[in-house]
Amino acid sequence: MTTTEPSPEAVEEERPIGFGRLLRKEDPRLIRGMGKFVDDIQLPGMLHLAILRSPMAHARIVSIDTSAAQALPKVVAVITGADLAEKGLAWMPTLSNDVQAVLATDKVRFQHQEVAFVVAEDRYSARDALELIDVEYERLDPVIDVRTALDADVPVIRDDLEGKTDNHIFDWETGDEAATDAVFDSADVVVSEEIIYPRVHPAPMETCGCIADFERVAGKLTLWCTSQAPHAHRTVYALVTGLPEHKIRLIAPDIGGGFGNKVPIYPGYVCAIVASLVIGKPVKWMEDRTENLVSTGFARDYVMKADIAATKEGKILAVRTDVLADHGAFNGVAAPVKYPAGFFGVFTGSYDLEAAYAKMTAVYTNKAPGGVAYACSFRITEAVYLVERIVDCLAYELGMDPAELRLKNLLKPEQFPYSTKTGWVYDSGNYEPALRKAMEMAGYDELRREQAEKRERGELMGIGVSFFTEAVGAGPRKDMDILGLGMADGCELRIHPTGKAVIRLSVKSQGQGHETTFAQIVAEEIGIPPEDIEVLEGDTDNTPFGLGTYGSRSTPVSGAAAALVTRKVRDKAQIIASGMLEVSVADLEWNKGSFSVKGDPSKSVTIQDIAMRAHGAGDLPEGIEGGLEAQICYNPENLTYPFGAYICVVDVDPGTAVVKVRRFIAVDDCGTQINPMIIEGQVHGGLTDGVGMATMQMIAFDEDGNCLSGSLMDYLIPTALEVPDWETGYTVTPSPHHPIGAKGIGESATVGSPPAVVNAIVDALKPYGVRHADMPLTPSRVWEAMQGNHTPPI
Amino acid sequence: MQVDVKVNGAPESHDVEPRTLLVHYLRDHCGLTGTNVGCDSSSCGACTVHLDGEAVKSCTIFAVQVDGRSVTTIEGMAAADGTMHPMQEAFHTNHGLQCGYCTPGMVMAATSLLEEIPDATEAQVREGLEGNLCRCTGYHNIVKSVLACAKGSEK
């Protein structure tokens, strides 16, 4: 079932008991400057850590002299890779079962790699001391161009790996190659294009950092950390340091944005832990903006050869791709083990195909590690960009309207659950109403008329369409784990005697508003007002185990856990109510906050009455223990598949090639909506990312491997001036397997919007015969495309 | 050296290194951690405070430069009884924040902007906030929050 309008109650009711536009509980402290971010925490005797980074992309370390730095007043310690190697801590595991240097011992493998660190009494002195460390490097040729990384004569980056003789990481494939080739061989129309998704960086406003505090007497490490995945990180730190897991407490306080940048384990965290273990005092490490941009988890960096086959009438038959993936110097991608390319396998998009095939090769280069980040839903950004761009190329060749071509090929509602040609089972969808709604909101036909008139006058106006399907909520433990940790989420709910509640979660908000939405889920299920429900997360000593917040998984996984644990508590409450009302359980009905006797509503007890009874004196029904609480671990049976239809309108100045995004219409379907206000906010943010990636953002390198995007003056992200007022709408197609029908929304707009913007710009350039142009479409790159000499960005 | 600053109406006096940035003076010496550091290079605006009533980026000004002057931080925006400043209230009711890291700087920049242009239009608000980056909200609800406080807006 799909509804295209919100229920009146959801819109009207300002302070609902359950779902609806509830203002956020976390706002007051953050608006007053009373939030508690990692760098806000000051501990008595705390020391400060700063990291020395390599100026070269590829070099052998000949010698390191730390004596002058050691002699600087206020410096407590200077540690090199050799010092760490003595403790067996120079290398650490990555989330992809590779290893990464904590501090370089033999070679540096990317510019700005960690080489040494200083611990000092204040942050300025620590930085001063970095200047006094003398490192002699022997330059090695860097491998920068991903296309030549596998050539026979290039240097081997990872000679630390035994027997490694090339820069190859893995090959991966999905789909049926022979069947796909057969469809292509007999198709009327085949269109091919090389499509590049350049390297970008999430750049959350708060950079990464931590405070490590090892108490020697208790033998316990407390780590305040910018972590999106507190429990998974605690396990990794136990493995890295050898400290027993119960002696590590990880606290993720307020987090100033994550977008996947705070999922990997970074050397800085490990350095701070080691420093505190050695020195016995709390040690703070906060990277600066440059360090964040040049060394922490980047995103994308895919070179994709794409082919699409269709009939001459525009029925899409098959999609095929061959991808070259740049993973940087260490394979640090965060993705389920069985999915080295993340969920790129959903590159078949929202269309009914006869066949599909993808193959991929991942390689090492002398660049910072990463790859899966920036609201990508495990590489679905790349997949959606690929299919939505190549579908537009097909529309160009067929001379068809791109919206018309999509409408002709979208999956039909009766095809769900739909098994794709690459093995994914889309849970529910009703695509055409979403696209029709977006077209109606945009005034699509009128826009096309306006465009035709403007083209007559030599003005460049473009209209871009994209339709995406995401796969979020990793994931079923039979298929998905990270470093052997299954991706199920624990959750615990306790109702206090007076009917107030606390829910403990394994996930961790970085701005998503969990304190509000999870209180709403509990409220919806048990009728306790959201303001009476405390949401606790981000503290491993006080929350159950689970894998954290990324890949839009909080609502699909922990949201389901929250609903189910609340139902479990409600079931117990019903038994207690039956004793209080002296009727059988079956004779009670639930009225969102109270049980009453069927047919006699005057006989009822509220959840608050029941809570007091559960904790009070007197008998409870036979076999029922006191207290009103429950804990579960939710293992999702499938991913959820949100979708959406986006339309972007741009104007391109023919004289300067400056692109102005005039309008953007986004219709999203994330199933049941918990808080439409928060959903819209997340969509707004993601759309801004899309404009940023499409028109300005890229982490670039020169041929020596120098990172050219190490500041916010060089790595441009959109300001309020570059984006329009966003026009959002939605349809609601609940997930059939999620207990409340919700699907996850956090990354939809970042995934779906880049192709809409690029399609719009390319559409604007149609008079110049442009069929494809690669991001970032800066004025100079748009100008090149207009002159017919557009070159790839890498 | 001794630096005396009136911060949120109260005198502060601290012996700091001459190179101490105002943002570190506020955070590390005055204990006012509401002002955040986002880029250290005056690109992002997270550290915006009011210096003698005007918005400045506190990561690119030395504490000694404000000796004897008056600084207002986000902690000084609410009324004495704790009531939030109308701009803070507008950010709450219009969902003008998500992670909250840029919010103190945004509120300080926005109030300064309306001080200068009380009846600012949407275009003027967008232009006026160009120096403050946000990665979560896409600016939509921030602009809405500021416009809700502008003169002539329907309250």
Side-chain angles (χ1 to χ4, degrees), chain A residues 350 410-411 416 426 428-436 467 469 643:
Chain A
S350 314
L410 288 175
L411 290 165
F416 291 89
Y426 293 2
S428 65
N430 194 358
Y431 292 173
E432 187 176 329
L435 182 49
R436 295 259 182 225
F467 198 102
T469 300
F643 57 90

Side-chain angles (χ1 to χ4, degrees), chain A residues 86 422 567 614 627 657 678 684:
Chain A
E86 279 176 27
T422 48
R567 288 175 194 176
I678 286 178
H684 295 159

Side-chain angles (χ1 to χ4, degrees), chain A residues 5 130 177 191 324 332 336 354 464 478 532 573 615-616 633-634 700 725 763 773:
Chain A
E5 292 304 329
L130 296 183
E177 184 176 18
V191 178
L324 195 52
E354 289 179 11
K478 66 177 168 31
D532 288 351
H615 291 88
C633 183
Y634 175 74
D725 236 31
D763 185 50

Side-chain angles (χ1 to χ4, degrees), chain A residues 2-24:
Chain A
T2 298
T3 54
T4 55
E5 292 304 329
S7 66
E9 310 89 78
V11 175
E12 301 298 330
E13 211 173 326
E14 286 248 323
R15 298 191 64 75
I17 274 283
F19 299 161
R21 291 177 179 270
L22 183 69
L23 294 180
R24 297 201 324 165

Side-chain angles (χ1 to χ4, degrees), chain A residues 32-292:
Chain A
R32 289 169 183 272
M34 307 306 278
K36 199 56 93 182
F37 298 99
V38 169
D39 199 23
D40 297 344
I41 297 165
Q42 304 282 359
L43 300 177
M46 189 173 74
L47 303 172
H48 294 263
L49 186 148
I51 293 174
L52 180 74
R53 296 175 181 278
S54 164
M56 293 186 192
H58 199 193
R60 197 163 299 287
I61 295 175
V62 178
S63 64
I64 304 181
D65 181 356
T66 62
S67 54
Q70 300 265 15
L72 194 74
K74 296 188 182 176
V75 167
V76 178
V78 183
I79 305 288
T80 65
D83 300 324
L84 291 188
E86 279 176 27
K87 299 177 187 302
L89 292 170
W91 294 83
M92 64 177 189
T94 70
L95 297 178
S96 304
N97 291 307
D98 192 358
V99 291
Q100 178 174 353
V102 177
L103 294 178
T105 47
D106 51 344
K107 294 200 303 192
V108 290
R109 293 175 169 84
F110 67 94
Q111 191 196 32
H112 303 298
Q113 187 181 336
E114 299 79 3
V115 173
F117 69 80
V118 172
V119 180
E121 289 172 20
D122 62 67
R123 67 176 92 215
Y124 289 17
S125 300
R127 297 260 162 170
D128 287 345
L130 296 183
E131 307 286 321
L132 301 174
I133 301 173
D134 189 14
V135 185
E136 189 185 339
Y137 297 98
E138 178 194 327
R139 186 188 179 281
L140 300 169
D141 286 335
V143 181
I144 302 305
D145 184 350
V146 66
R147 293 181 181 82
T148 61
L150 294 177
D151 289 357
D153 55 342
V154 300
V156 177
I157 298 166
R158 294 301 303 278
D159 47 355
D160 57 296
L161 300 173
E162 206 178 318
K164 193 75 184 149
T165 56
D166 59 24
N167 295 317
H168 180 263
I169 305 177
F170 64 78
D171 291 319
W172 171 86
E173 64 175 351
T174 186
D176 186 332
E177 184 176 18
T180 307
D181 288 350
V183 173
F184 269 89
D185 289 345
S186 60
D188 300 341
V189 185
V190 172
V191 178
S192 301
E193 192 70 71
E194 183 180 84
I195 295 171
I196 293 171
Y197 209 135
R199 179 176 285 229
V200 290
H201 192 282
M205 289 303 298
E206 178 203 35
T207 58
C208 300
C210 69
I211 301 167
D213 184 15
F214 182 67
E215 292 174 58
R216 283 180 176 166
V217 176
K220 183 156 184 172
L221 172 73
T222 304
L223 187 72
W224 286 265
C225 190
T226 51
S227 170
Q228 297 180 218
H231 291 275
H233 282 181
R234 179 186 57 183
T235 305
V236 174
Y237 292 126
L239 297 172
V240 171
T241 62
L243 285 173
E245 201 168 354
H246 67 298
K247 292 291 188 184
I248 301 176
R249 177 183 185 185
L250 195 147
I251 301 173
D254 285 323
I255 305 291
F259 318 108
N261 188 231
K262 291 164 181 171
V263 174
I265 305 286
Y266 297 123
Y269 301 142
V270 178
C271 291
I273 293 171
V274 172
S276 189
L277 287 172
V278 171
I279 300 166
K281 287 189 173 180
V283 175
K284 179 188 277 187
W285 167 67
M286 280 307 300
E287 64 186 8
D288 63 24
R289 175 55 59 191
T290 295
E291 293 180 287
N292 178 253

Side-chain angles (χ1 to χ4, degrees), chain A residues 23-24 27-28 30-37 39-40 42 74 122-125 128 201-207 255-257 259 288-289 374 510-511 677-678 681-682 684-685 688-689 697 712-713 717-726, chain B residues 17 19-21 24 27-28 33-34 36-41 43-44 46 74-75 78 82-84 88-89 91-95 97-104 107 122-123 125-127 129-130 132-141 143:
Chain A
L23 294 180
R24 297 201 324 165
D27 282 356
L30 296 168
I31 296 179
R32 289 169 183 272
M34 307 306 278
K36 199 56 93 182
F37 298 99
D39 199 23
D40 297 344
Q42 304 282 359
K74 296 188 182 176
D122 62 67
R123 67 176 92 215
Y124 289 17
S125 300
D128 287 345
H201 192 282
M205 289 303 298
E206 178 203 35
T207 58
I255 305 291
F259 318 108
D288 63 24
R289 175 55 59 191
Y374 207 172
Q510 313 115 46
M677 175 191 82
I678 286 178
Q682 293 202 288
H684 295 159
T688 305
D689 286 332
Q697 291 174 219
L712 294 176
M713 300 297 280
I717 55 183
T719 74
L721 265 185
E722 282 97 23
V723 293
D725 236 31
W726 306 110
Chain B
E17 284 187 63
R19 60 175 170 170
T20 303
L21 298 170
H24 290 143
R27 291 177 54 84
D28 298 347
T33 54
N36 294 321
V37 179
C39 71
D40 332 88
S41 55
S43 304
C44 81
I74 189 69
E75 290 94 338
T83 310
M84 286 200 284
Q88 291 174 307
E89 193 59 44
F91 269 67
H92 178 50
T93 53
N94 292 288
H95 188 35
L97 69 154
Q98 291 180 34
C99 80
Y101 200 80
C102 75
T103 311
V107 168
E122 183 189 330
V125 170
R126 287 186 179 275
E127 196 160 331
L129 294 180
E130 195 198 7
N132 289 70
L133 299 178
C134 171
R135 304 290 289 141
C136 300
T137 67
Y139 304 103
H140 186 102
N141 288 338
V143 173

